[in-house]
Amino acid sequence: MWPLFSLILGLVVGSFLNVVIHRLPKGESIVFPPSRCPTCGHRLAPWDLVPVFSYLALKGRCRYCNNPISPRYPLVEALTGLLFALAALFYPPSPQAFLTFAFLALLVALSFIDLDTFELPDSLTYGLLFLGLLSAYLLSFPRPFAEALDGALIAAGVLGLVAGYGGLFIRRFREARAEVPVGPHQVHMAALFGALLGPGVGMALAFLTWALSGRTGKPVVLPDRLTLPLLPLIWILSPYLGADLLSTLKGSLVSAGGLALAGGLYWAFKPQGAEETDPVAMGYGDVKLLGALGAWLGLYSLLALFLGVFAGALVGLALRQRRIPFGPYLALGGGVAFFFGETLWRAYLAWLGL
């Protein structure tokens, strides 16, 4: 009965997610007005809103104007229902099960919004992040709080640096415009300071440059052409400088992740007035999403990143598209890692003979 209840709940939640996916990017209320046909604007009756079944009964057409209904609607409902049923097989009725439902619902909403708009709303990415940290703090679910916090910072740091190096190569080592008071330059500086001085001091110094930039109105940063090439050199030389390589790596990634998530939260409350003009390899919405996954998955978020890159590359090659939204593939990797991450890791170690 529990899997059946979860399936039905997922279908209903999926119907609500369709509203979120449609309205949230437009800045519209997800509560009012009631659901209407997007073509003719006619208010939908309750029997028009039965998940999946209404679509089938109406043969994919609006009852009032006979225009086609996008198959996206039953797809989102069915996908959410199946994901909830899968979660029910792993977790009995419990707070942990309903937290897993929330985790999956947010991933579905983020995926389809990114497919439509190439954007990941901060309200959902940070909602996913804070829910994961709160769950870890209160229930140690799905992992202890210290592991969840480290996972969030390291995951955001990894992808923040990937975005930094990718952007530097795309620009052919031309320096990007530094944002005021905070932006990717501070993230890269935090990684450098964290590698040299540890995560605490690294973040403190980067936050200091943030404060100075805000005070002066001018970017107080080091050029990317210095920080990004110097960082791997420090990693390589760390054993010869009396430092542990893993500690050096962690210091740089935690510092970079802390600045990336804090800076993203700042801009979420104070949107930028000017559009990004420099070419970028990856949007910071993906960085924030992977940081949120880190709060739920710990270091298995890096497995989610690998799976996302692999799936995205396959789809991009199959469709012959150079620009694809990365959020859905990160979400796919995150879902797989959440349920099967430990199993995949053990299978990999067994394959290596370890």
Side-chain angles (χ1 to χ4, degrees):
M1 288 299 294
W2 170 239
L4 178 60
F5 170 81
S6 301
L7 174 64
I8 295 172
L9 177 64
L11 292 173
V12 174
V13 171
S15 181
F16 173 71
L17 292 181
N18 276 319
V19 177
V20 174
I21 293 164
H22 180 71
R23 297 186 183 182
L24 187 63
K26 300 177 181 180
E28 299 175 354
S29 170
I30 61 175
V31 178
F32 183 84
S35 295
R36 299 174 183 272
C37 171
T39 303
C40 66
H42 195 287
R43 180 173 176 177
L44 301 181
W47 48 85
D48 297 323
L49 298 171
V50 180
V52 178
F53 295 102
S54 289
Y55 180 87
L56 296 176
L58 294 169
K59 297 180 180 180
R61 292 188 173 273
C62 173
R63 183 191 304 276
Y64 309 100
C65 66
N66 203 40
N67 278 300
I69 302 170
S70 171
R72 164 79 63 85
Y73 293 100
L75 174 62
V76 170
E77 293 163 352
L79 175 61
T80 310
L82 292 173
L83 287 173
F84 278 31
L86 174 64
L89 300 178
F90 284 81
Y91 301 102
S94 60
Q96 287 83 350
F98 286 96
L99 285 166
T100 302
F101 293 161
F103 168 74
L104 296 171
L106 286 166
L107 289 185
V108 170
L110 284 162
S111 297
F112 282 92
I113 289 175
D114 200 20
L115 283 171
D116 287 341
T117 66
F118 282 86
E119 293 182 359
L120 293 165
D122 289 322
S123 57
L124 298 185
T125 52
Y126 280 105
L128 185 65
L129 170 64
F130 293 134
L131 183 62
L133 293 176
L134 182 64
S135 174
Y137 181 75
L138 295 178
L139 300 174
S140 292
F141 175 82
R143 56 201 68 254
F145 179 74
E147 187 177 341
L149 182 60
D150 274 355
L153 297 177
I154 290 173
V158 167
L159 207 52
L161 289 177
V162 169
Y165 284 110
L168 191 64
F169 281 113
I170 287 176
R171 295 189 304 271
R172 299 180 181 180
F173 291 87
R174 179 177 59 85
E175 191 68 25
R177 176 182 59 87
E179 297 181 20
V180 178
V182 63
H185 280 78
Q186 278 92 345
V187 173
H188 308 152
M189 287 169 56
L192 182 64
F193 296 152
L196 290 169
L197 304 169
V201 178
M203 274 195 280
L205 289 175
F207 273 108
L208 177 61
T209 65
W210 176 349
L212 291 173
S213 295
R215 180 72 175 176
T216 62
K218 298 179 180 179
V220 180
V221 295
L222 295 174
D224 281 346
R225 286 178 295 185
L226 173 64
T227 55
L228 290 175
L230 190 56
L231 181 59
L233 183 62
I234 293 173
W235 293 341
I236 294 170
L237 294 178
S238 60
Y240 304 99
L241 300 175
D244 176 67
L245 175 59
L246 290 179
S247 298
T248 303
L249 279 171
K250 182 178 179 181
S252 59
L253 295 176
V254 167
S255 299
L259 258 292
L261 294 176
L265 189 61
Y266 170 84
W267 288 118
F269 285 98
K270 188 176 180 181
Q272 293 166 285
E275 293 290 330
E276 179 65 57
T277 56
D278 293 306
V280 295
M282 180 179 299
Y284 255 64
D286 298 317
V287 175
K288 290 175 277 190
L289 175 55
L290 188 64
L293 288 174
W296 289 85
L297 305 173
L299 292 182
Y300 284 126
S301 57
L302 302 182
L303 173 62
L305 174 60
F306 171 78
L307 294 172
V309 169
F310 182 72
L314 287 180
V315 173
L317 289 173
L319 300 179
R320 296 184 179 181
Q321 291 185 351
R322 298 182 63 184
R323 183 172 182 255
I324 59 173
F326 191 37
Y329 305 103
L330 275 182
L332 173 63
V336 171
F338 184 86
F339 290 114
F340 307 108
E342 187 172 351
T343 301
L344 290 174
W345 180 245
R346 288 180 177 177
Y348 177 68
L349 292 179
W351 180 70
L352 293 177
L354 300 176

